[in-house]
Amino acid sequence: PTTDYYYRVVAYNAAGDSASNVIFVPGLPKAPTNLTAVVQLNSSLTAGAQVLLNWTNNANTVTNVIVERATGAGAFGVVATLLPTDTSYLDTTVVPGSYSYRVYAVNAVGQSAYAGPVTVTVTQPGSTTVVLNSPNPSFVGDMVTFTATVSPMLATGIPSGTVTFTANGVSSPVTLDAFGVASFSTAALPAGTYTVTAAYSGDTIFLPSTGSVTQTVNQVATTTTLTSSLNPSVFGDNVTFTASISPAAATGTVKFTIDGVAGTPQTVISGQATYSTTALGAGAHTITAAYNGDANYLPSTSAPITQTVNKTATTTVVVSLNPSNVGQNVTFTASVSPAAATGTVTFNIDG
């Protein structure tokens, strides 16, 4: 079927033969041979690769050369219709995956047999993930934003997919935007130094990649304010001292110190700790409250306050034998209230 034929018809008589034209009848074109396919790197392309095909044309009467391509196990389809003299084709539309190519020639009669198929595999280009953080360092409770930018390696495509941020053991997936950027914000990091990672998942074109950044979270400074429930007070009164810690999220304990003597630590609840006493003697007393801090909040000490304790008023009642007779023994008894009073009583008779 690939043989070309030439025909002519000649008439004869006694005078001789007639002139005749020659008719050419082409056969099917001969198939191309020596088909090869090579993957080449090209960083100006989306996937960073192209496939170069080369073959040998063997037909003389060809109108076009046709290149067909199949993706994976899919069907072949035409990707290029070339001039009859073309012996190569550069496929710049490939993305990572397996491709098969075959080539045939066509003329007015029909098509040749195929050259090929030949199969190549286009590998995925790499990616890089760069993570930035702001602010750094930060303080407990600050909102910190981590931004991951995923970039292609030796390609021009924009990576898609997700980036998973992991901070303090907690993972949070975020979808990349149209520019290959993903952001994650948190205010939940305790005080300390953390390695925050951003792991890109990869997509149909680009390989996964991971980036990381160090985040330092500092303890927050506190202030301690000390107040008295009753100042001045009277000896024997129940006085409550309250230490208020700011920020109120602080936990831990507070030691109340009275005249240089520190008491038992009191637990901070909802930003406050209290200490109550009825044992303050009359006079002026210096009180301070010292917050010990916790994992996230720094210690602080209040300004001292002076607690004034006044003496308690007393009443004295004298009881005796009245009336009495001359020479009779009379006893005078003084009863002092409150009964906790100590000291002496001076009895005056007639001034």
Side-chain angles (χ1 to χ4, degrees):
T2 59
T3 303
D4 296 334
Y5 293 92
Y6 296 84
Y7 295 93
R8 67 181 181 181
V9 178
V10 179
Y12 292 92
N13 63 14
D17 58 338
S18 65
S20 175
N21 64 314
V22 178
I23 299 175
F24 172 67
V25 179
L28 293 174
K30 291 181 180 180
T33 55
N34 303 321
L35 176 62
T36 61
V38 178
V39 177
Q40 299 177 327
L41 297 180
N42 186 339
S43 61
S44 67
L45 298 177
T46 298
Q50 60 192 17
V51 177
L52 176 63
L53 303 178
N54 285 286
W55 61 88
T56 300
N57 281 334
N58 298 306
N60 295 321
T61 56
V62 175
T63 56
N64 292 107
V65 176
I66 308 300
V67 179
E68 291 186 343
R69 184 183 73 185
T71 302
F76 279 92
V78 175
V79 291
T81 299
L82 306 177
L83 296 174
T85 55
D86 288 338
T87 59
S88 66
Y89 173 68
L90 191 60
D91 188 358
T92 59
T93 64
V94 292
V95 294
S98 177
Y99 295 91
S100 296
Y101 294 89
R102 64 188 184 185
V103 177
Y104 63 91
V106 294
N107 64 9
V109 179
Q111 75 171 59
S112 71
Y114 291 102
V118 291
T119 300
V120 294
T121 298
V122 177
T123 58
Q124 288 180 284
S127 66
T128 59
T129 299
V130 177
V131 188
L132 300 177
N133 49 339
S134 179
N136 187 32
S138 61
F139 291 92
V140 172
D142 284 350
M143 184 65 71
V144 181
T145 298
F146 300 93
T147 301
T149 301
V150 183
S151 302
M153 294 179 63
L154 301 176
T156 61
I158 303 298
S160 62
T162 60
V163 170
T164 298
F165 293 89
T166 301
N168 195 29
V170 179
S171 296
S172 303
V174 180
T175 301
L176 286 171
D177 65 15
F179 303 98
V181 177
S183 295
F184 167 71
S185 298
T186 180
L189 291 177
T193 300
Y194 303 90
T195 298
V196 179
T197 60
Y200 169 53
S201 62
D203 59 15
T204 57
I205 295 179
F206 296 100
L207 291 171
S209 59
T210 300
S212 64
V213 70
T214 298
Q215 178 69 34
T216 299
V217 181
N218 294 321
Q219 290 175 290
V220 176
T222 63
T223 58
T224 300
T225 303
L226 178 63
T227 58
S228 169
S229 64
L230 185 63
N231 194 17
S233 60
V234 174
F235 173 76
D237 285 348
N238 185 35
V239 180
T240 298
F241 299 101
T242 300
S244 299
I245 316 302
S246 179
T251 62
T253 60
V254 171
K255 277 187 178 181
F256 293 87
T257 299
I258 301 176
D259 296 331
V261 179
T264 301
Q266 305 297 310
T267 301
V268 175
I269 300 174
S270 299
Q272 289 188 331
T274 60
Y275 172 72
S276 297
T277 181
T278 59
L280 293 178
H285 303 274
T286 301
I287 319 294
T288 60
Y291 168 58
N292 73 330
D294 63 14
N296 293 321
Y297 296 92
L298 293 170
S300 60
T301 300
S302 72
I305 65 171
T306 298
Q307 177 69 35
T308 300
V309 180
N310 296 321
K311 293 181 179 181
T312 302
T314 61
T315 59
T316 302
V317 178
V318 178
V319 179
S320 64
L321 178 65
N322 190 20
S324 61
N325 296 318
V326 173
Q328 187 175 1
N329 186 42
V330 178
T331 299
F332 298 95
T333 300
S335 297
V336 181
S337 179
T342 61
T344 62
V345 174
T346 299
F347 292 89
N348 291 311
I349 298 176
D350 296 336

